[in-house]
Amino acid sequence: MKASQIVTDLQRGKEQGKEFIKWWRKENDFTDYELLDNFINTAASKHEIDSYQLLDNDEMWDILKRWKPTGLRRSKSTKSDNIEWQRKNENGEKQTYVCPYNSHNIMSIFDAETRNNTVG
């Protein structure tokens, strides 16, 4: 199916709190994860897909934690939730980054950790 054929379903998922799409091609040669808005705005018209799954922030966080089981922590407070992300900087030293727990930051960390290369 063309991705443009599922836009209505994607919009409905967005209304239900889904922020991400996990999708794969008929060839099943890779699985991709994207922010739902980005997929709708850029990829929906050109991709031929076999199937997809919509994910909320917590579901995507679980996937991210499977990719990077150490160096990631979600801290909760009364004001907001944050992500604490440890990784090596350009000098090879460990550095901790703290950012709000939201879909854009989850996706940015996922892309950095997987180097935009995901399978399965």
Side-chain angles (χ1 to χ4, degrees):
M1 79 182 96
K2 287 277 186 208
S4 58
Q5 296 171 294
I6 62 170
V7 170
T8 302
D9 288 341
L10 302 182
Q11 293 287 5
R12 194 172 315 123
K14 182 106 174 101
E15 292 168 5
Q16 297 170 353
K18 303 297 182 178
E19 296 285 338
F20 302 92
I21 184 169
K22 171 185 177 182
W23 64 276
W24 49 97
R25 301 186 315 176
K26 287 183 180 184
E27 296 85 2
N28 206 20
D29 56 347
F30 76 93
T31 301
D32 201 3
Y33 296 83
E34 294 182 51
L35 285 168
L36 194 51
D37 284 338
N38 289 353
F39 184 84
I40 291 169
N41 292 333
T42 60
S45 62
K46 61 184 174 186
H47 288 309
E48 181 76 26
I49 65 172
D50 183 45
S51 193
Y52 66 95
Q53 178 182 2
L54 301 181
L55 308 164
D56 62 23
N57 283 351
D58 292 339
E59 291 166 323
M60 190 65 194
W61 174 255
D62 290 341
I63 291 167
L64 174 58
K65 289 287 290 177
R66 282 195 297 266
W67 271 91
K68 182 170 176 56
T70 61
L72 271 177
R73 190 170 87 89
R74 181 176 171 188
S75 60
K76 297 183 179 198
S77 70
T78 55
K79 286 186 176 182
S80 66
D81 292 1
N82 289 312
I83 299 171
E84 295 176 17
W85 177 32
Q86 286 186 347
R87 70 180 309 208
K88 292 183 180 180
N89 63 20
E90 294 131 12
N91 299 328
E93 301 165 345
K94 279 190 180 181
Q95 187 167 354
T96 301
Y97 301 90
V98 178
C99 57
Y101 179 83
N102 63 42
S103 58
H104 292 280
N105 290 330
I106 293 169
M107 192 77 246
S108 294
I109 295 169
F110 184 82
D111 285 344
E113 290 295 336
T114 63
R115 294 175 179 86
N116 292 317
N117 184 19
T118 57
V119 176

